[in-house]
Amino acid sequence: AAAKYAGDPRTVREGNPYWEWISTYAHADFQSAVEEGRRLIEELSQREMPSGARLARLVKTFNETSALEIEFWDHALQQ
């Protein structure tokens, strides 16, 4: 999302309270770090699948963090 907004000429930059966040997350260094993290997770998951209990905790954590992210954006949109 950040890369989309950073590249959109309609995105307000000056005075935008989210611009610093957008530019940070859209930066090539951040995008590279995310891609490296994805690669490592895929590599690790191919070597050793987590136990059922561990996988359940990972799914729960993912769902909770996704809900927080949705709440963050919903709040921003309501401002």
Side-chain angles (χ1 to χ4, degrees):
K4 174 186 167 189
Y5 290 115
D8 189 335
R10 296 172 297 172
T11 299
V12 175
R13 287 155 174 77
E14 191 160 331
N16 181 341
Y18 301 104
W19 179 245
E20 187 175 343
W21 179 92
I22 291 168
S23 61
T24 296
Y25 281 76
H27 194 275
D29 289 344
F30 183 84
Q31 295 295 317
S32 293
V34 168
E35 201 51 48
E36 176 68 5
R38 282 186 189 148
R39 186 190 66 72
L40 288 171
I41 289 169
E42 288 297 323
E43 182 182 308
L44 289 170
S45 70
Q46 295 301 315
R47 276 195 270 156
E48 183 178 335
M49 277 301 281
S51 68
R54 175 72 175 139
L55 188 56
R57 287 194 312 272
L58 290 170
V59 169
K60 182 177 184 284
T61 300
F62 175 81
N63 289 338
E64 289 171 353
T65 57
S66 295
L68 289 170
E69 186 77 9
I70 290 167
E71 189 176 321
F72 169 82
W73 285 109
D74 281 348
H75 180 75
L77 290 171
Q78 293 172 10
Q79 295 296 322

